[in-house]
């Protein structure tokens, strides 16, 4: 599946930052350059990832997700901390948390970002929606067995809430 393929790519990648791209999604030509410029403009520690804005195409209509709140934990819970393809990931941050969990069927990037956020990372926000996510009504893993996907969606947020409650946030 996708997590194993991403981990395999991560293992052989040579760059400091990793860009993932699913087959049916699109990066605007300036997406990576824009995020590299953001990294170059930082005068502090390099970011562990850049939370990228994006837009969806749903039933041939362009849809924008809710805006960032600019509070990492709130954006993680809301599902607005970017996604697999809109984010630019620092290879060392991915490796430090063991990469993608190969047994996670949905909410994969939420799980990954949750584990990264537990390391108190540096995260930048990119407001420019330079990634297009194609949402298909059928035929994708995310549309199969929706009740299990909803359960995973809720369960990961319960884990996040427990973590926050136990760590005085």
């Amino acid at each position: 599946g996708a997590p194993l393929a991403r981990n395999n790519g991560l293992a052989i990648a040579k760059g400091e930052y990793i860009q993932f791209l699913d087959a049916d999604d699109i990066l605007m030509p300036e997406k990576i350059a824009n995020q590299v410029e953001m990294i170059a403009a930082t005068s502090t520690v390099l970011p562990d990832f850049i939370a990228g804005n994006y837009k969806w195409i749903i039933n041939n209509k362009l849809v924008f997700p809710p805006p960032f709140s600019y509070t990492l934990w709130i954006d993680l819970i809301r599902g607005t901390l970017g996604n697999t393809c809109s984010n630019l990931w620092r290879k060392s941050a991915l490796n430090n948390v063991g990469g993608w969990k190969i047994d996670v069927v949905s909410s994969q990037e939420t799980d990954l970002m949750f584990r990264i956020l537990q390391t108190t990372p540096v995260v930048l926000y990119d407001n420019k929606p330079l990634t297009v996510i194609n949402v298909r009504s059928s035929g994708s893993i995310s549309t199969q067995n929706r009740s299990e996907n909803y359960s995973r969606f809720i369960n990961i947020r319960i884990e996040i809430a427990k973590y926050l409650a136990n760590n005085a946030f």
Side-chain angles (χ1 to χ4, degrees):
L4 180 60
R6 291 177 187 136
N7 284 341
N8 288 340
L10 181 62
I12 61 172
K14 304 243 187 292
E16 185 163 1
Y17 283 88
I18 307 296
Q19 173 65 63
F20 296 103
L21 182 60
D22 292 344
D24 57 348
D25 298 331
I26 301 166
L27 300 181
M28 296 295 100
E30 66 274 22
K31 190 267 189 193
I32 294 173
N34 177 67
Q35 292 180 338
V36 168
E37 287 174 20
M38 291 177 68
I39 294 167
T42 61
S43 59
T44 58
V45 180
L46 292 175
D48 294 293
F49 71 90
I50 296 176
N53 201 343
Y54 57 92
K55 48 195 165 192
W56 288 302
I57 295 181
I58 304 173
N59 298 323
N60 296 317
K61 294 181 185 172
L62 193 59
V63 178
F64 290 87
F68 297 128
S69 74
Y70 296 97
T71 304
L72 291 173
W73 291 104
I74 291 172
D75 284 327
L76 180 66
I77 291 167
R78 288 175 59 209
T80 56
L81 195 57
N83 67 30
T84 302
C85 300
S86 68
N87 292 358
L88 189 63
W89 309 87
R90 192 169 184 192
K91 183 178 179 181
S92 61
L94 296 170
N95 285 332
N96 287 343
V97 298
W100 299 84
K101 286 187 179 176
I102 61 171
D103 60 339
V104 175
V105 179
S106 63
S107 297
Q108 298 161 345
E109 66 263 323
T110 302
D111 170 76
L112 179 65
M113 289 186 285
F114 174 42
R115 290 182 287 120
I116 292 173
L117 289 189
Q118 292 175 58
T119 69
T120 60
V122 174
V123 178
L124 300 179
Y125 282 92
D126 179 5
N127 284 313
K128 296 177 182 175
L130 299 176
T131 304
V132 179
I133 308 298
N134 284 295
V135 179
R136 294 179 284 156
S137 58
S138 65
S140 72
I141 291 171
S142 60
T143 60
Q144 298 170 7
N145 203 336
R146 290 183 193 263
S147 64
E148 287 183 17
N149 288 345
Y150 293 138
S151 292
R152 284 187 285 271
F153 178 91
I154 292 167
N155 288 337
I156 188 71
R157 280 151 181 85
I158 290 170
E159 283 184 52
I160 294 166
K162 286 179 184 176
Y163 173 82
L164 294 173
N166 291 330
N167 290 283
F169 283 95

